[in-house]
Amino acid sequence: MKHNLFWTVLLVAISVTMPFRSHAYEFDSHIKTIFSTATTLKAFDGGWMEVYDEGNTLLGYAAYSKPYSDGINGYNGETPLLIGFDDQKRVLAVLILDNTETPRFVNYAKANGLFNRWDKMTVKEALAAEPDVVSGATYTSRGVIQSFNACVSHLEQAGFTDEKKNKSGLLLVGGLFFGSLLLVAVSRRLRQKAISAA
């Protein structure tokens, strides 16, 4: 009985913290464009990744707009992005990934500063910002802005900016684990008392 209780409590603790689990992955070429010394990623189910260098120093965070921006189109198709954040979770860079947009529209939007409009903003500030579309690349820039907003909106909802929420899962696991150990110890003690009394 006590053995089953322990495993039940442990399984509940693990399932409660599933949104906060992480996985280690090697960096990819897009990440290296933003974080040149990146060697390892730790990807979280909430949609973001922690980016580390060879010395295991946190360089910042990154998030892909897909799948949150699926269906958002520019002039000639989707405008998928990679958004980099510094270690204070402020926007560091916005890159457009492989796409079917007309290159001259993308280049024109870049040349007119569209991809730098969110630099140094927190997620909340970036969501409140209302960057203008670039005249001459209206559809492309509108797609980029909407893709960016879809991604950071998801990050905010998933708890990217809420340190307490991210840590609460770990605290809950610890609390449930030690609570289950306490229950096992108490039940063992009660059983010993019952045997002694008999």
Side-chain angles (χ1 to χ4, degrees):
M1 172 94 172
K2 64 185 176 186
H3 184 70
N4 289 341
L5 177 64
F6 171 78
W7 288 110
T8 301
V9 171
L10 186 60
L11 286 173
V12 168
I14 291 168
S15 66
V16 166
T17 58
M18 288 298 269
F20 306 105
R21 70 182 180 202
S22 64
H23 313 280
Y25 294 102
E26 293 302 309
F27 68 89
D28 67 21
S29 60
H30 300 299
I31 299 290
K32 287 286 273 188
T33 304
I34 300 173
F35 302 98
S36 61
T37 60
T39 57
T40 308
L41 300 175
K42 187 188 261 186
F44 289 80
D45 288 347
W48 66 88
M49 298 166 279
E50 292 178 346
V51 184
Y52 293 90
D53 67 9
E54 192 173 327
N56 207 32
T57 301
L58 177 66
L59 301 174
Y61 306 85
Y64 289 100
S65 68
K66 290 184 76 60
Y68 319 110
S69 62
D70 285 354
I72 296 173
N73 293 312
Y75 180 74
N76 196 37
E78 293 184 349
T79 51
L81 304 173
L82 171 63
I83 305 169
F85 299 87
D86 65 19
D87 60 353
Q88 301 298 308
K89 297 186 177 177
R90 293 183 175 273
V91 177
L92 185 62
V94 178
L95 301 179
I96 190 163
L97 303 176
D98 293 339
N99 62 83
T100 57
E101 287 293 277
T102 306
R104 70 182 170 93
F105 292 141
V106 173
N107 292 334
Y108 190 74
K110 282 181 186 175
N112 282 277
L114 176 64
F115 293 89
N116 301 107
R117 301 256 170 99
W118 300 280
D119 285 1
K120 299 183 180 176
M121 291 185 184
T122 64
V123 166
K124 289 187 187 304
E125 290 168 344
L127 282 171
E130 296 180 5
D132 294 328
V133 296
V134 175
S135 181
T138 304
Y139 292 105
T140 299
S141 55
R142 185 175 294 138
V144 167
I145 291 166
Q146 291 175 352
S147 292
F148 179 91
N149 287 340
C151 183
V152 294
S153 177
H154 168 78
L155 291 176
E156 183 182 51
Q157 291 171 9
F160 174 68
T161 59
D162 187 352
E163 289 300 322
K164 289 179 184 172
K165 186 173 182 180
N166 291 337
K167 290 176 181 173
S168 67
L170 297 175
L171 291 174
L172 184 60
V173 166
L176 289 174
F177 178 74
F178 288 111
S180 65
L181 289 178
L182 181 62
L183 283 173
V184 169
V186 168
S187 67
R188 181 177 289 166
R189 182 80 171 150
L190 290 173
R191 189 171 182 205
Q192 287 174 346
K193 280 187 176 182
I195 291 171
S196 299

